[in-house]
Amino acid sequence: MDAFSLPQRVLHWLTVVLVLFNLLLPDGMNTWHRSMVRNGMVTPEQVSGANIHAYVGIAILILALLRLGMRYIQGVPASPPAEPAIFKVAAMAAHFALYGLLIALPLTGIAAYYFGYGGAGDLHADVLKAILWALIALHVLGALVHQFYWKTNVLRRMTIG
Ligand code: HEM
Ligand code: HEM
C-alpha cells in the first residue's frame, strides 16, 4: 500500500473541515449553554444554533468510527524509511490520540447536551478541546517536517495519493 485509499483521504479532509468548524465556531452551542445555566430557558433559535454544533460533532464521531473500520480492513501505508524510529512511534501515538479525541469529544458533548452532565461538558469544553488543539498543531508540524525536512511522500499519500 503506497497511499491511503481515496475514501480514507476524502474522510480525513472532510473530518478536518468539520472539526475546524466545531473548534472555531462553537458560539451557537455556547449561547445555548449560557442560557441553560442562567435560567434553564432557551429559545428555538438557540436550540437550532446548538443543534448545528451537535450534529456536526455526531458526524465527526460516525466518520471516526468508519475510518477506524476502514483502517482495520484496508490497512495504512508503512512509515517512510527516512523517518527516525522515535518519530514513527510519536506519529503512531499522535494518530491514536487524535482518533481517541474524535470519539471522546462527541461522547462528552452528547453527555452534556442530551443528558445534562455538567462535568462532561467541562471536560469537553476545557480539557479535551485544549488537547485537541495541541495535537493538531503537532500533527501539522509533523506533516511539514516530513514534506520539507525529510522530504518524504507522506503529505502526498494523504492528498493526491
Ligand atoms: C469533535 C467534535 C466536537 C468538537 C471539536 C467540539 C468543540 C467544542 C468547543 C470548541 C466548544 C466551546 C468551548 C469553549 O467555549 O471554550 C464546545 C462546547 C460544547 N459542545 Fe462541543 N464539540 C464537538 C462535539 C460536540 C457534540 C457531538 C456535542 C453534543 C451533542 C457537543 C456539545 C457541546 C456542549 C454542550 C458545549 C458547551 C459545554 C460547556 O461549556 O460546558 N459538542 N464544543
Ligand atoms: C482537524 C485536524 C486534523 C485531524 C483531526 C487529523 C487527524 C488525522 C488522523 C487521525 C490521521 C491518521 C490516519 C490513519 O492512520 O488512519 C491523520 C493522518 C494524516 N494527516 Fe491529519 N488531521 C488533521 C489535520 C491535518 C492537516 C491540516 C494536515 C496537513 C498539513 C494533515 C496531514 C495528515 C497526513 C499527511 C496524514 C498521513 C500520515 C501518515 O501517512 O502516516 N492532517 N490525520
Side-chain angles (χ1 to χ4, degrees), residues 21-43 45-54 105 109 112-113 120-126 129 133:
F21 177 84
N22 261 10
L23 279 176
L24 296 172
L25 302 166
D27 300 359
M29 181 56 90
N30 278 341
T31 306
W32 173 90
H33 180 247
R34 268 196 304 275
S35 288
M36 285 301 275
V37 171
R38 203 178 303 131
N39 54 14
M41 307 249 289
V42 283
T43 64
E45 290 75 25
Q46 286 171 336
V47 173
S48 305
N51 277 343
I52 296 174
H53 182 91
L105 264 154
Y113 187 55
D122 294 341
L123 190 66
H124 178 88
D126 299 332
K129 174 198 77 176
W133 269 123

Side-chain angles (χ1 to χ4, degrees), residues 4 12-13 16 19 67 71 76 95 98-99 102 136 139-140 143 154-155 157-158:
F4 287 87
H12 174 269
W13 293 106
V16 172
V19 166
R67 283 173 70 188
R71 206 176 192 282
V76 288
H95 294 165
L98 280 169
Y99 275 124
L102 297 182
I136 291 174
H139 181 63
V140 172
V154 157
L155 200 53
R157 64 196 202 173
M158 193 45 116

